[in-house]
Amino acid sequence: MFRGITKRWMLNTLSVILTIIIFIVVSFIFLVAYIFQNSVEQSLISTSNELSLVFSGYNSDSSSAFTASARDYVENFDKKEQMGVMVINSAGRVVMTSTGFIPSEDAFTDFGEAESNGEGYAFWNGKLSSGESAMSLARLITNDAGKTVGAVRYIVSMEPVNGRIMLFSGIIIAIGIVIIGLVVLSGIMFIRSIVKPIRRISEAAAQIAQGDFSASERIEHKYDDEIGDLCDAVSDMAKDLQTTEQMKNDFISRVSHELRTPLTAIKGWAETMQLSERGTLDRRTFDRGMGVIIKESSRLTSIVEELLDFGRIQSGRMVLMNEKIDILAEFDETVYMLKDRAAEEEIHLLYDEPEAVFPPVYGDRNRLRQVFLNILDNALKYTPKGGVVAAQVIYSKDEPDVIKIIVTDSGCGISAEDLPRVKEKFYKANQNVGGSGIGLAVADEIMNLHNGSLEIESGEGVGTTVTLTFPVYKEGEEKSLPENVKL
C-alpha cells in the first residue's frame, strides 16, 4: 500500500504537516501553561500589594512589636482558604504562619532573591517537602529609612493549576491527533483517488503494449480532471494504435499481394518458355512473354524502391542529390512517359507545356520525378475509362517565389472522412484499387525535404486536385544545403 506516490506523500507532505501540527500543539501547551502560571503570579502580586497598607508607617526595630504586627496581619488575612501566608523576620526566619506550622526554610529561595534583585519581591516555584507542587512570592517589608525589617511570603498550591494545565494540554493534544487523523485520512483518500486510476491505467497500458487494445475500454473515466484527461489520452492512444496496427496489417497484406502478382506473372511466363520445346515457341508468343516479364519486373522494382524509400525516410537516411533543375522539363518528360498508358486505358491526359521560361528549382531531379510519377499514376489509377486527367504548370507574377504544378482528375474522389489521412503512412482510402498505400506518404515527405508542399482537394464522386508547390531557386541557396546531403 505504502509505495510509489503514497510513500513519497507520506515521507514528504505528511512529515511536513505532522511537524507543523506538533509545533502548534506544543506551542499551545506552553501558552496554556504560561497563562495559568501567570494568573497565579498576578494573584500573588495583587495580594502582596496589601503590605503597603498593613505595614505602612512601621518603624519599630523591636522583634516583639514586629511579631505582634505579623500576628495581626496573619489573623486578619482573608484569603487563608486560597493561599497560605508566612511572616519572615529580617534574619530570614519564619515567625508566623497561617497554618501554625513552621516549614523548612531549605526549600525556599525567594527571600534571598527578593533582597538581591532590587525589586523587593521574588517568586519560587517547586515542590515542598511533602512532594506537593507550589508557588510562593516573598515581598520585603521596609521601614521609612529603607531598611528591611522582614518579609511576607504567600504560597499557593499548584496542584489544581497543574491539573487544569494537564486537562487543557490533553484537549489540545486530542485536537492535534484528530487533525492529524483527518489530514492522514483525507490524504490517503486523495492519494487513492490518484493511485488507483493510475494503476488501472498502467495495467491497461501494459495490456495494450501486448496487443490487447480492448483493455482501453475497461478504463473508467470517473473524474473530470487531469486523471480523466489521462484516461481519455490512453483510450485515444489505444484506438490510434489499433487503427495503425490494422493499417500496418493491411499494408503488409497489400504489399504481399502487390509483390505476388508480378512474381506470379514472371514465374508463369518463365516456366512456359522453359517447358516449351526449343524452336516450338513462336516469336509472337516469345515476345509477349518477355514483354510481360520485363513489365512485371519493372513493376516489382518500383514497389521495392518505394519500400526502400519509405524505410530511408523513416530512419532519416534519405539522401538528396541537389542541383539547379528545370522543373518544367522534368514534369514534361514524366507526362510523356505516361501518355501511352493513358491511351491504353482510354483516359484523356491533357497537358499543354507553357511557352514561357520558368526559373530553376533547387532539388533532386530523380526524387522530384518520383513525386510527379506518383501523382500522375494515382490520377490515372483512380480515373475510369473515358475520364480526364489534366495537368498544368503555373508561375505568375502574383506569386514570384513559387512554381505550382496542378494535377486534376475526374475520378472517384476521396471522401471527407478519408481526405485528412490520405498522406499518412499505411493509409489507403480505396481498398479496391491496387497499391501499397505508402507512395503518397513518400511523395509528401520528399516535398517537405525540398521545402515545398503537397496539397490535396477532393470530393467523393467529383474528382481530385493535387497541387505541388516548389520554392524558386535563389542565388546562394546551395550554400545552405550541400548537393549531397543526408536528411
Side-chain angles (χ1 to χ4, degrees):
M1 176 181 176
F2 296 107
R3 63 185 181 89
I5 296 176
T6 305
K7 183 178 180 180
R8 290 200 299 272
W9 180 81
M10 294 286 288
L11 293 177
N12 299 329
T13 306
L14 187 58
S15 61
V16 173
I17 294 174
L18 286 175
T19 302
I20 293 173
I21 293 176
I22 290 173
F23 174 77
I24 293 174
V25 168
V26 172
S27 299
F28 269 104
I29 290 174
F30 276 105
L31 180 61
V32 168
Y34 171 78
I35 291 173
F36 277 102
Q37 289 184 1
N38 186 66
S39 65
V40 175
E41 292 177 359
Q42 293 301 320
S43 176
L44 291 174
I45 291 174
S46 175
T47 303
S48 69
N49 287 334
E50 299 175 359
L51 280 176
S52 61
L53 300 176
V54 174
F55 291 94
S56 60
Y58 180 79
N59 294 315
S60 177
D61 292 334
S62 171
S63 59
S64 59
F66 178 78
T67 303
S69 297
R71 183 181 296 108
D72 290 339
Y73 177 73
V74 172
E75 289 178 353
N76 295 318
F77 187 66
D78 57 355
K79 296 182 180 179
K80 294 178 181 179
E81 295 181 359
Q82 300 175 15
M83 64 183 70
V85 61
M86 304 177 188
V87 180
I88 306 171
N89 61 18
S90 59
R93 295 182 179 179
V94 178
V95 297
M96 186 66 63
T97 66
S98 59
T99 60
F101 297 98
I102 305 299
S104 173
E105 290 296 316
D106 297 336
F108 297 98
T109 59
D110 48 3
F111 180 73
E113 291 179 6
E115 287 184 312
S116 61
N117 62 19
E119 295 181 357
Y121 67 91
F123 287 98
W124 173 85
N125 195 351
K127 288 189 177 182
L128 300 174
S129 58
S130 61
E132 181 182 5
S133 296
M135 178 184 289
S136 69
L137 169 68
R139 182 176 288 274
L140 300 179
I141 303 171
T142 59
N143 56 22
D144 292 341
K147 180 181 178 182
T148 302
V149 296
V152 175
R153 175 183 294 140
Y154 302 92
I155 185 168
V156 177
S157 175
M158 293 297 292
E159 295 295 333
V161 175
N162 290 340
R164 286 194 286 271
I165 291 175
M166 293 297 294
L167 175 62
F168 279 94
S169 298
I171 293 174
I172 293 172
I173 292 173
I175 293 174
I177 293 174
V178 170
I179 293 174
I180 292 174
L182 292 175
V183 169
V184 171
L185 181 61
S186 63
I188 291 176
M189 292 176 64
F190 175 71
I191 292 298
R192 283 183 175 178
S193 69
I194 296 176
V195 172
K196 282 190 174 181
I198 289 179
R199 285 179 182 171
R200 287 196 294 267
I201 292 172
S202 178
E203 293 171 357
Q207 293 175 351
I208 292 171
Q210 295 175 359
D212 183 11
F213 300 107
S214 62
S216 62
E217 299 175 0
R218 296 190 289 273
I219 299 177
E220 299 181 13
H221 185 162
K222 290 185 177 181
Y223 307 101
D224 189 16
D225 53 10
E226 289 81 359
I227 299 297
D229 294 340
L230 181 60
C231 293
D232 293 338
V234 172
S235 297
D236 294 340
M237 178 194 69
K239 292 177 182 178
D240 292 340
L241 287 174
Q242 187 174 14
T243 302
T244 303
E245 182 73 13
Q246 184 62 42
M247 289 169 57
K248 184 187 72 174
N249 293 336
D250 293 343
F251 165 75
I252 294 173
S253 177
R254 287 195 303 270
V255 169
S256 300
H257 178 75
E258 290 291 322
L259 292 174
R260 184 171 62 249
T261 300
L263 286 173
T264 301
I266 292 170
K267 181 182 178 182
W269 276 102
E271 290 176 347
T272 299
M273 296 171 70
Q274 184 183 39
L275 293 175
S276 299
E277 295 182 6
R278 184 180 298 274
T280 61
L281 190 66
D282 61 279
R283 186 67 186 179
R284 182 179 179 183
T285 303
F286 178 81
D287 290 342
R288 181 183 176 187
M290 289 302 296
V292 170
I293 291 175
I294 293 172
K295 179 181 177 181
E296 295 301 324
S297 296
S298 298
R299 180 181 172 188
L300 191 61
T301 301
S302 177
I303 295 172
V304 172
E305 284 297 329
E306 193 175 67
L307 292 173
L308 290 174
D309 286 340
F310 178 75
R312 293 187 190 105
I313 290 174
Q314 289 296 103
S315 60
R317 295 183 291 107
M318 173 68 76
V319 177
L320 296 182
M321 307 296 291
N322 291 303
E323 59 181 327
K324 289 193 294 183
I325 60 176
D326 183 352
I327 197 73
L328 189 60
E330 300 300 328
F331 185 70
D332 180 66
E333 185 174 344
T334 306
V335 173
Y336 181 78
M337 290 172 54
L338 295 173
K339 277 189 175 181
D340 291 341
R341 172 187 164 184
E344 290 178 2
E345 296 177 0
E346 299 180 15
I347 298 173
H348 301 287
L349 179 56
L350 306 180
Y351 171 68
D352 292 327
E353 183 178 351
E355 297 179 359
V357 178
F358 285 10
V361 170
Y362 192 66
D364 186 326
R365 66 174 68 247
N366 292 324
R367 295 300 179 188
L368 292 180
R369 188 178 295 178
Q370 181 180 349
V371 174
F372 301 152
L373 191 60
N374 180 272
I375 299 304
L376 290 171
D377 177 72
N378 282 343
L380 294 173
K381 189 187 302 181
Y382 291 100
T383 301
K385 290 183 179 181
V388 176
V389 175
Q392 56 179 329
V393 183
I394 299 175
Y395 176 71
S396 65
K397 294 181 180 180
D398 295 334
E399 296 180 288
D401 296 330
V402 296
I403 296 175
K404 291 185 177 182
I405 296 178
I406 302 176
V407 178
T408 304
D409 65 66
S410 60
C412 59
I414 305 171
S415 66
E417 180 182 357
D418 294 325
L419 186 59
R421 304 187 62 188
V422 291
K423 293 191 288 185
E424 294 180 9
K425 61 181 180 181
F426 308 139
Y427 192 81
K428 189 172 176 63
N430 193 332
Q431 302 293 334
N432 298 322
V433 180
S436 63
I438 61 173
L440 203 56
V442 172
D444 182 60
E445 190 63 31
I446 292 174
M447 290 299 296
N448 290 333
L449 293 176
H450 283 83
N451 296 323
S453 64
L454 188 157
E455 299 175 357
I456 302 175
E457 297 178 3
S458 184
E460 195 169 8
V462 177
T464 303
T465 299
V466 178
T467 302
L468 303 175
T469 304
F470 302 88
V472 171
Y473 170 79
K474 296 179 181 179
E475 292 296 334
E477 184 174 351
E478 64 275 7
K479 295 180 181 179
S480 62
L481 190 61
E483 289 187 3
N484 300 331
V485 60
K486 184 178 179 180
L487 298 173

